[in-house]
Amino acid sequence: MTNLELFWEIPLSILSFIFSRILRFVMQTIGGYFTSKKNTKNLQWQLVSAEFLKKPIKLIWAMSRARWNLHAIISLVGPIQVKELISFDASAAKQSAQSWTLVVYSLPDFETITNISSLTVSGENQWESVSLKPGKYLLGLRYYHWSDTVEQPTVKADGVKVVDAKQINAPTDINSFYRDLIKRKNWLHVWLNYYVFNLLRFKQWLPQSFVKKVFLPVPNPETKFYYGALKKGESIQFKLAPSLLTSHDLYYSLYSRECFPLDWYKITEAEHRTSASDQKSIYIVRIHPKFERNALFENSWVKIAVV
């Protein structure tokens, strides 16, 4: 990036960041209002899909809240009113996917409270529960390595069933709809995430806690993240310890500057180089344990370089 580019890139990125914070606040305020009014009865799981994101407001909400996880089937349900305990049918999750994570978010601020996963339970109990403070919560369910048919599980709040189970067909390309989202790009999406490229390009000059909180507002607690920015023509070179590939899954995701999905796949080689980016873009590498939550992990096992 030349000095001339920096002359407009930095001011525009600062304005974009301010705009994104204002938009998040407005949407959180509106969301809080509707959450308080929404009936907590007759709740149903919602699959993140083309249909779920059909309304422009839903797409903006999703792009302002998180970075797309393109490697999992994601379902959401809420608001669930809880006094003490929330429970769900873990046996349904076990039958649906080799690896799964259920994350509990507080409403209306969408803070991550806790999670249960295939890595934290024995697999012997049909029901798994989490103790919570009184309030309203959103559940986010992620299925990795899913079966042809998956079940969104039954959920109970304080022992009373509040969400019914639902089965859905889950072909291997169920997430292919993400590739079409960029066709809906407009000026609002550009301004919302224009700052992200420079946030990551110059992340070494910024507090790492700040970069992570801004870029990954609702990360999976069990996943390790590596992320950065690519200029046109650049690619990523991976050098990984073979033992890492035995104990962890590695997922690579490439996004446009506006954070629309461009490409994603699982990395299975100790040495791998991605295709050169044809535009300014950003990437995320997710490293998720296969078998144990506290699986041995050494930072030296992962070498990622932009070339």
Side-chain angles (χ1 to χ4, degrees):
M1 188 176 293
T2 65
N3 291 335
L4 182 60
E5 285 182 289
L6 290 176
F7 183 75
W8 69 74
E9 280 282 351
I10 299 305
L12 288 178
S13 293
I14 293 173
L15 290 174
S16 169
F17 177 75
I18 294 172
F19 174 76
S20 72
R21 300 304 97 178
I22 293 173
L23 183 62
R24 279 169 57 92
F25 174 77
V26 170
M27 296 196 69
Q28 183 168 309
T29 302
I30 295 174
Y33 172 78
F34 283 105
T35 295
S36 66
K37 300 295 182 182
K38 186 175 180 179
N39 192 341
T40 56
K41 298 180 180 179
N42 303 317
L43 295 174
Q44 294 183 339
W45 284 101
Q46 297 185 69
L47 175 70
V48 176
S49 61
E51 182 63 27
F52 176 79
L53 298 168
K54 187 175 181 179
K55 294 182 178 180
I57 190 69
K58 279 282 189 72
L59 182 59
I60 286 292
W61 174 82
M63 295 185 71
S64 68
R65 295 305 318 176
R67 308 302 170 193
W68 305 108
N69 183 339
L70 310 169
H71 309 275
I73 296 177
I74 299 177
S75 299
L76 304 169
V77 66
I80 300 175
Q81 185 72 53
V82 179
K83 293 181 180 179
E84 295 181 354
L85 196 71
I86 195 164
S87 310
F88 80 105
D89 184 359
S91 65
K94 180 180 178 180
Q95 294 172 5
S96 297
Q98 296 177 29
S99 177
W100 56 267
T101 302
L102 182 80
V103 183
V104 181
Y105 304 100
S106 61
L107 291 175
D109 54 3
F110 294 97
E111 291 293 328
T112 300
I113 302 301
T114 187
N115 73 290
I116 309 176
S117 77
S118 53
L119 302 174
T120 63
V121 300
S122 65
E124 298 175 356
N125 301 324
Q126 178 181 359
W127 293 89
E128 295 290 346
S129 302
V130 176
S131 297
L132 298 168
K133 296 179 180 179
K136 291 183 178 180
Y137 296 90
L138 174 76
L139 301 184
L141 178 63
R142 299 177 175 96
Y143 282 155
Y144 297 89
H145 305 297
W146 56 85
S147 304
D148 293 336
T149 301
V150 302
E151 182 173 313
Q152 298 164 321
T154 302
V155 179
K156 295 180 180 179
D158 304 306
V160 178
K161 184 169 69 173
V162 292
V163 182
D164 288 324
K166 181 181 179 182
Q167 286 194 341
I168 58 173
N169 293 325
T172 55
D173 64 347
I174 192 171
N175 285 342
S176 61
F177 72 92
Y178 284 118
R179 298 190 185 277
D180 295 326
L181 293 182
I182 197 169
K183 298 176 183 178
R184 298 169 59 184
K185 180 177 72 173
N186 60 37
W187 67 269
L188 195 58
H189 305 118
V190 174
W191 270 107
L192 175 63
N193 286 316
Y194 189 88
Y195 73 92
V196 174
F197 177 83
N198 287 319
L199 175 76
L200 299 184
R201 195 70 184 178
F202 302 109
K203 62 184 178 181
Q204 69 272 23
W205 304 105
L206 299 168
Q208 292 306 299
S209 58
F210 169 78
V211 174
K212 183 176 182 179
K213 184 175 182 179
V214 171
F215 183 61
L216 298 172
V218 285
N220 185 337
E222 296 177 341
T223 303
K224 298 185 184 300
F225 294 87
Y226 292 80
Y227 40 82
L230 296 175
K231 294 187 294 186
K232 183 177 180 179
E234 291 182 333
S235 59
I236 304 172
Q237 180 71 53
F238 291 88
K239 291 186 178 181
L240 310 169
S243 54
L244 178 67
L245 297 173
T246 301
S247 58
H248 292 74
D249 287 320
L250 278 79
Y251 301 104
Y252 166 73
S253 302
L254 183 70
Y255 308 85
S256 70
R257 179 168 191 164
E258 304 81 21
C259 297
F260 284 103
L262 295 175
D263 195 18
W264 62 94
Y265 53 86
K266 183 179 177 181
I267 296 175
T268 58
E269 308 163 308
E271 293 195 17
H272 176 76
R273 182 168 178 171
T274 66
S275 300
S277 179
D278 62 358
Q279 59 185 281
K280 288 181 178 179
S281 55
I282 60 177
Y283 69 87
I284 299 177
V285 178
R286 292 174 168 87
I287 302 181
H288 193 77
K290 290 183 179 181
F291 312 112
E292 301 176 39
R293 183 173 189 173
N294 297 319
L296 181 63
F297 176 86
E298 299 286 347
N299 289 327
S300 60
W301 290 356
V302 182
K303 294 182 179 179
I304 299 176
V306 175
V307 294

